[in-house]
Amino acid sequence: MSLDLDTIRKIVTDPTLNPSQKARFLSLEAENALPYPETDPEAAQALAEGVLCDLVEGHAPYKPRYVLPDFSVLLANGSDYLELEPPKTLDEAINCLMIAWHHTPSVTAMPVFIGHLDRLLLPFCEGVTHDDLVNKIRLLWRYIDRVLPDAFLHTNIGPEDNRVARAILQVDAELKQIAPNLTLLYDPESTGETLLRMATDNIAACSKPHIANHPLHAAAFDARGYGIVSCYNALPAAGGAGTLVRLNLHEVARRSEGVEDFLQRALPHYMELQFRLIEARMGWLFERSGFFENFIVEEGWIDRDRFTAMFGIYGMAEAVNMLRGKNGLPGQYGFDAEANALGYRISEQMAAKVEATPVKHAWRGRALLHSQAGISSDLEATPGVRIPYGSEPDPVTHVKALAPHHRFYPSGISEILTLDETVKANPQALFTLAKGALASGFREFTANVAGNDLVRVTGYMIRLSDVEKYRNKEGSRINTTGLGAEAAELTGILERKPRVIGHEYAQGYGQ
Amino acid sequence: MNMPRATVSKILPFSCVDGPGNRLVLFLQGCNFACVTCHNPHTMALCTHCGDCVPACPTGALTLRDGRVVFDPATCTDCDDCLRACPINANPMVREMSLQEVLAVLRENLAFLDGLTVSGGEATTQLKFLVALFSAIRSAPDLAHLSCLVDSNGHLGPNGWARLLPGADGVMLDIKALDPETHRRLTGQDNARVLASARLLQAAGKLEEIRYLVIPGVTDTEPEIAALGAFLDELGAAPRLRLNAFQAHGVRPPAAGWPTATRAEIDSVASRLSQLGVTHIETPTVYL
């Protein structure tokens, strides 16, 4: 590898990029001029052929892909390195967090997780009026969207109902911004229907927040908890994920004779190669990068032992349809009970192998299976285990077809249910649908409501009006708009019968 | 006594436009009106097994056996070519379902439902089944919380309503026109029974909403709107009035050539009705 001066010149002279966007693409070119972490030829070939995909994480992972700091440590202790006293007022707490986010690394160079904001701020809210609280959150939201404009940047609220969570939902529906992305952790025992209804009413207004099934997620992690970050990734709190490597099941199906050959030979083989690539990337990060000498480790925001490796998969729908075709069986994934059952069988087999396979440096010594939500350049491979865009059944049939997959994917799985605009006149229907989906075992409920400017693409949000501007070559302030525009053109994502759109996957110039 | 069976045109497990919350909608086959503006004309008649649809099916999902048209859902690709071939506005894909089968469908989808809406066709043409269905829902502990609503054209007589209403939470009633002649031209039937049904349902406290289809130049004329305002006034504490915009999509000729009602036209009707004292008016969320 060497630096391609033409590309460097294009980046520095591109009129649609602002200087910091140029700096980021230049840094990626520099990193990728280094050789790839050492792995064996078979895994390297699978990567080159697109059976495996490293999501263009870079050749020299010098920071974990996703970092979920425990910001409560900072708020309780202050920071020696940053010369911050422990905050005493709400203003001081918000100010400390704004500083901390600037020092939170991730694959995007912007934080993907900014904390369980309600839990962090609530202790500082005594004596603060509702109007004051809403005004402070409104300013904080403006700061996040303008200074950290990345749709993968995520905050969590809940599961307990509280005044900060309500104020956040109020401001989020009012401003309808891309950032921050938002998840309500929902627990039927402690959240209550009022807060859930506020959340589903917000979905009708701006297709946010996501609603996470807290009891299911909590059971997959430990007492220190978890956070939902980026595109529906559930990861250990005070840790995160070192890497995310994903397997294109459609490509594995292409390399199979039929159902049994896929399950007995091809899938185990390519999963083995995927583990080798994960080990190579984790090895570089933990043993060579020097990341864990960072002050955020020394001051206890994160713990070196709490980083998992995400074992991603995608293209389930195409894999199932191709395998059934090879066996001469009819029936489409998502619609046919037998086709769906083959999907569940593949998920179950992958989950068993991931749970049984040791991964060095990973939290609990194992990777976590993840149904990966796709990137803008994916063709002929539907995100995760989703039903292909534009051919989804009605939302209830949709949920029932996919719910049995959800228990196999502890580090995240998501479906985007697309609802037509008529639901805005009947938000109770959306509320009941969300409750039904969560009660059916969905780990995550996400819906796009047609007619909203804010639209989810694969897991991240864009504004349709920004895509239009980007297409007209005006450039966009938001780093993920380019991805959304690319996804819209390449993958037909806006065909998802009526449809929300992030930065994580802008992993190189022109990609 | 024979248990009644339903002739079902379609079941939707998700609908946010057929009453409050998410409703499972049971579309029953057969109608006693012949509305020129019908969006689902294939729900009007019951199949006579003439067999004209059989050769129209490209996948062989329809066959003639012992003089009857037999439908195989596994082979059907939902192309609807058979509906276009049918000479009498019927549908060879309808299913006969027992009460237990319909209850089983409700239970499969129970976690997602606020209630059930029966629609059509004209649901009340299968009155015996509806009475049995609502009664079964009311007496089943796991289903009793579901609200039961009826979509109706109002042609049902007072004896019929007396049997149906004890089990029904409410009726969403279509009034196609106030002028009897216009009503006859649009539906093939007189509207006296419809207006009587509106009064009866209102008195029983079961009139969930009145639906009025705005057809430009036909049902938005000054006399029509004045008559609608007066009728709602006469009803007293008037229920919600939902204005629907005529759309040509799915409609057969000649009405397929009629102009679509625009947002401006609906807003104009709504404002004229407000001036006449109508308070509770809903207009469409989406215009095509």
Side-chain angles (χ1 to χ4, degrees), chain B residues 53-54 56-58 62 79-87 90-93:
Chain B
C53 56
V54 174
C57 178
L62 295 170
C79 72
D80 289 350
D81 283 354
C82 55
L83 301 183
R84 286 179 278 275
C86 178
N91 176 354
M93 300 179 286

Side-chain angles (χ1 to χ4, degrees), chain A residues 200 202-207 416-424 430 447-456 498-500:
Chain A
T200 57
N202 273 30
I203 293 173
C206 61
S207 303
I416 301 177
L417 301 172
T418 303
L419 304 176
D420 80 66
E421 213 170 347
T422 52
V423 82
K424 291 185 178 189
L430 186 54
N448 268 354
V449 175
N452 289 344
D453 188 31
L454 207 53
V455 177
R456 186 168 288 110
R499 221 147 294 283
V500 183

Side-chain angles (χ1 to χ4, degrees), chain B residues 39 212-216 242-248 260-263 266 283-284 286-288:
Chain B
H39 289 85
Y212 188 78
L213 182 67
V214 176
I215 308 169
R242 182 176 300 281
L243 295 179
N244 288 327
F246 171 73
Q247 295 159 0
T260 293
T262 63
R263 184 185 296 270
I266 297 290
T283 56
V286 181
Y287 293 84
L288 296 181

Side-chain angles (χ1 to χ4, degrees), chain A residues 394-397 399-400 419-426 428-430 432-433 435-437 439-440, chain B residues 12-23 105 108-114 242 282 285-286:
Chain A
D394 72 82
V396 171
T397 307
V399 169
K400 291 198 318 194
L419 304 176
D420 80 66
E421 213 170 347
T422 52
V423 82
K424 291 185 178 189
N426 184 1
Q428 170 75 26
L430 186 54
T432 305
L433 178 67
K435 268 209 321 192
S440 306
Chain B
L12 279 184
F14 182 86
S15 169
C16 55
V17 295
D18 292 282
N22 180 36
R23 317 197 64 82
V105 172
E108 280 165 28
N109 294 286
L110 197 55
F112 300 90
L113 298 178
D114 292 295
R242 182 176 300 281
E282 298 260 352
T285 317
V286 181

Side-chain angles (χ1 to χ4, degrees), chain B residues 189-262:
Chain B
Q189 299 272 11
D190 187 80
N191 68 359
R193 293 177 66 153
V194 180
L195 301 181
S197 290
R199 294 186 187 101
L200 180 152
L201 292 168
Q202 174 73 355
K206 297 274 171 98
L207 188 51
E208 173 85 9
E209 72 178 23
I210 288 176
R211 296 170 165 184
Y212 188 78
L213 182 67
V214 176
I215 308 169
V218 182
T219 61
D220 65 348
T221 61
E222 285 307 327
E224 268 300 307
I225 299 303
L228 177 60
F231 183 73
L232 292 171
D233 187 47
E234 177 210 317
L235 281 182
R240 179 171 62 232
L241 174 69
R242 182 176 300 281
L243 295 179
N244 288 327
F246 171 73
Q247 295 159 0
H249 177 79
V251 176
R252 299 211 168 143
W258 294 359
T260 293
T262 63

